[in-house]
Amino acid sequence: MKYQCTRDSSVTVTASQAIVQGIAKNGGLFVPETLPAYTLADLTAMNGQSYFDRAAKVVSDFLPEFTPEEIEECVQGAYGGGKFSGGHPAPVVAVKDGDCAMNILELWHGPTCAFKDMALQLLPHLLTHSLRKTKCEKTAVILVATSGDTGKAALEGFKDVKGTEMLVFYPENGVSPMQKRQMNTQEGSNVSVCAIEGNFDDAQTGVKKLFVDPAINEKLHANGMLFSSANSINWGRLLPQIVYYVSAYSDLMERGAIQPGDPINVVVPTGNFGNILAGYYASKMGLPVNKFICASNSNNVLTDFLKTGEYNRNRDFHATISPSMDILISSNLERLLYDVTGHDCKKVAGWMQELSEKGCYKVDDETFQKISAVFDAGFCSDEDTKKTIRQVYDNAGYLCDTHTAVAVKVYEDYVARTGDKTPTVIDSTASPYKFASSVLSAVDDQYDDKMDEFDKVERLSKLTGTEVPAPIAGLKEKPVRFQNVCEKEQMGDVLLRLLGLA
């Protein structure tokens, strides 16, 4: 299986090369030339299997260079060893809120309590094997921009991994207090963290510029280093996310919630579009999906695009209580456009150039109709997010974080608008304790904002009778290691300094 560049399909690489490189030299993203095809028999064969077995099956179908033994080593290294609480890395929980029956896909049982663990516990294993396969003896500099969850998950996944250096940039005022503490207390001899004075889009744009900066790349090359990425622009990050959609379908079949072949709807709270795109790829492989419902917060650039066909980042940026979705440039949308245009790299490159130069682009009618046939969308304000957290807790006894609540609200609006009662999977992307202040304010009538963040965590646990995840509880005593802050124009200088090259 070869991988193509979305902006020039004549550029092809192996799976290992795609994982090592992360992003094409022209800024495009790597995608498989073709996708594996799964029959209903293939899907039902996964009933009764462990998550490890399902992951091994899906991952191996995309990585033909890897031996079965290597795949097994990667999967066990990622999901074994007690890293994920509860025995199942991605359990599906039935929740009923009034007339809406939902299947909540909990993706936050890993070491950083966010869905990014599902991919970023596996990516380091894929990368180290890929480095060997490409006979690359250079140190991989893993460069990440984060809106909160990716940073910590990448730091945790890559800490002390030989042959790698890990550097994370995050918006100083664009993550939750708990996310910030998670990153700035990170252990590991090969990791560094720096806040930037700006928003996530500034961090993401800065990182992309660093990837293609000739002077910086030459400096790295001269010192035995090369760039790679742990953001979802790296195919090795996106691939593991396909697994949990396939796994969720099998779990629903096992539970009798659906019959083999029954379609499902999938609702995803997303800003960068990677998480929902992984589900879309699963459907292209054969997973029966009726509709993908894209849930946004007040930064509803994706909602507008999916309803009009025009992508326009020229709008106010909102810092919300669901900060992992505070994004106006959705990188992975490029991969969807490449797919629905039949791999028309010229069209995609043109739209991406317009986005870079003008901040907007509009797809043609044929492309828009193909997207509209598969996707629906909606958005949710902070006020409605808090109301939904309270409503679901009062009605169903289920505690949502601020991102999951966005998805629930958008889904309930979708059902009210369409009457579509197709069995539905809703991605729950983070533990409510990562956003304890906002969640507590939604469910506590005596909420006191002046409380310490860890007092809020304790109060939330006592009030709701839910358990504080061990990774969150353990943060209180961890020393702060990083307090770096820079302007977005200084990211290159900071990179070189933290790598010891300045």
Side-chain angles (χ1 to χ4, degrees), residues 31 39-40 61 86 120 156 202 240 247 291 297 337 342 437 485 487:
V31 294
T39 65
L40 187 57
D61 287 340
L120 284 165
E156 186 67 25
D202 294 324
S247 178
K291 209 77 171 179
N297 58 21
L337 295 174
S437 182
V485 183
E487 296 178 5

Side-chain angles (χ1 to χ4, degrees), residues 157-172:
F158 278 95
K159 71 176 182 182
D160 294 325
V161 172
K162 291 182 179 180
T164 67
E165 293 285 341
M166 173 92 243
L167 176 58
V168 170
F169 289 101
Y170 72 91
E172 168 72 358

Side-chain angles (χ1 to χ4, degrees), residues 31-80:
V31 294
E33 287 182 329
T34 58
L35 294 170
Y38 286 8
T39 65
L40 187 57
D42 293 326
L43 295 173
T44 55
M46 296 188 194
N47 292 356
Q49 288 186 351
S50 68
Y51 192 85
F52 308 98
D53 292 334
R54 295 167 181 171
K57 164 63 176 170
V58 175
V59 171
S60 64
D61 287 340
F62 282 93
L63 305 178
E65 302 159 77
F66 283 60
T67 67
E69 292 76 20
E70 288 172 331
I71 294 291
E72 179 73 12
E73 179 185 333
C74 290
V75 169
Q76 289 293 339
Y79 304 118

Side-chain angles (χ1 to χ4, degrees), residues 270-349:
T270 185
N272 219 11
F273 207 73
N275 199 5
I276 199 167
L277 180 69
Y280 171 79
Y281 280 135
S283 72
K284 294 279 291 185
M285 293 161 60
L287 195 73
V289 178
N290 171 57
K291 209 77 171 179
F292 288 98
I293 302 159
C294 178
S296 302
N297 58 21
S298 297
N299 295 294
N300 58 337
V301 64
L302 281 171
T303 303
D304 288 347
F305 171 75
L306 292 171
K307 289 185 177 296
T308 68
E310 181 179 14
Y311 194 98
N312 192 337
R313 58 164 291 202
N314 300 316
R315 60 182 69 206
D316 291 337
F317 179 91
H318 302 284
T320 73
I321 61 172
S322 47
S324 296
M325 300 158 64
D326 289 349
I327 297 171
L328 293 180
I329 303 176
S330 305
S331 292
N332 271 290
L333 192 58
E334 181 172 342
R335 282 185 166 117
L336 176 69
L337 295 174
Y338 187 72
D339 185 82
V340 298
T341 59
H343 296 188
D344 191 331
C345 58
K346 290 184 179 179
K347 272 188 179 180
V348 173

Side-chain angles (χ1 to χ4, degrees), residues 244-265:
Y244 50 71
Y245 292 103
V246 176
S247 178
Y249 192 84
S250 292
D251 287 344
L252 290 176
M253 284 192 289
E254 285 184 34
R255 202 168 70 201
I258 59 172
Q259 296 302 309
D262 284 352
I264 60 172
N265 287 338

Side-chain angles (χ1 to χ4, degrees), residues 90-111:
V92 181
V93 179
V95 174
K96 187 169 176 59
D97 179 23
D99 292 333
C100 281
M102 303 171 285
N103 299 286
I104 306 292
L105 176 57
E106 293 184 342
L107 300 171
W108 43 262
H109 290 278

Side-chain angles (χ1 to χ4, degrees), residues 19-23 123 127 141-144 158 207 211 227-234 237:
I19 292 170
V20 169
Q21 196 170 330
I23 189 172
L123 178 58
L127 179 61
V141 177
I142 316 297
L143 194 57
V144 169
F158 278 95
V207 162
F211 266 99
F227 275 133
S228 190
S229 175
N231 280 100
S232 55
I233 56 176
N234 191 319
R237 246 291 303 279

